[in-house]
């Protein structure tokens, strides 16, 4: 089976809108990365996840991928705090069941936490995909726009049609 890693924020849940709204509410510049990460480490992630929307039937599609027998599916997500890791894991366990969640501290690279060699990463963040491919992995850009640098999808079930 091929290892398939799926990003959480911006792929499974649209947490980016809720985060942007909170940053604006507390007058924190999204450009000030240090201040932003400090703020996100203190956010109530249970509440933030409840305010966020699922993207393109992600939970159902992840279940389908996990049950396909083709992929060993894991969620590979950057986190700013243990609380964020716990809340994301709880949500995945509630919605999907036995799919592992691998939290990666925000200041670390995903390709340093798991072996990317011949593994697939679905992510909305280009830098993660570039590093993934530089380390022998296969990157898929999660976007609803045409994207030339990587294969792109906006529905996780499309992975079954790519490989």
């Amino acid at each position: 089976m091929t290892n398939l890693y799926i990003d959480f924020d911006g792929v499974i849940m649209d947490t980016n809108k809720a985060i942007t709204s909170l940053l604006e509410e507390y007058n924190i510049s999204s450009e000030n990365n240090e201040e932003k990460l400090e703020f996100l480490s203190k956010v109530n992630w249970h509440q933030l996840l409840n305010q966020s929307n699922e993207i393109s039937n992600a939970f159902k599609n992840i279940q389908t991928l996990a049950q396909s027998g083709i992929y060993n599916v894991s969620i590979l997500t950057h986190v700013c705090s243990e609380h964020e890791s716990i809340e994301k894991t709880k949500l995945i366990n509630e919605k999907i069941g036995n799919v592992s969640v691998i939290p990666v501290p925000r200041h670390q690279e995903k390709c340093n936490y798991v072996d990317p060699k011949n593994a697939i990463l679905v992510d909305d963040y280009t830098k993660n995909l570039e590093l993934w491919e530089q380390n022998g992995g296969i990157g898929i850009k999660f976007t609803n726009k045409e994207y030339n640098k990587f294969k792109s999808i906006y529905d996780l079930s499309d992975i079954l049609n790519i490989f």
Side-chain angles (χ1 to χ4, degrees), residues 37-111:
L37 294 179
E38 175 67 22
F39 176 77
L40 291 175
S41 72
K42 297 175 183 172
V43 163
N44 180 334
W45 278 90
H46 179 77
Q47 184 177 354
L48 189 140
L49 292 174
N50 281 334
Q51 294 171 346
S52 301
N53 294 318
E54 176 186 8
I55 300 172
S56 299
N57 296 311
F59 298 122
K60 177 180 164 260
N61 290 333
I62 292 169
Q63 280 181 321
T64 300
L65 290 166
Q67 293 169 354
S68 72
I70 300 169
Y71 300 105
N72 178 29
V73 180
S74 299
I75 310 306
L76 188 63
T77 182
H78 274 124
V79 297
C80 292
S81 67
E82 185 176 349
H83 175 65
E84 178 181 357
S85 174
I86 290 167
E87 292 301 326
K88 286 180 175 179
T89 301
K90 276 202 294 192
L91 183 65
I92 294 299
N93 288 338
E94 288 171 13
K95 300 287 187 176
I96 301 171
N98 55 352
V99 170
S100 66
V101 177
I102 304 165
V104 179
R106 191 70 69 169
H107 60 281
Q108 298 288 323
E109 302 301 341
K110 291 179 177 181
C111 61

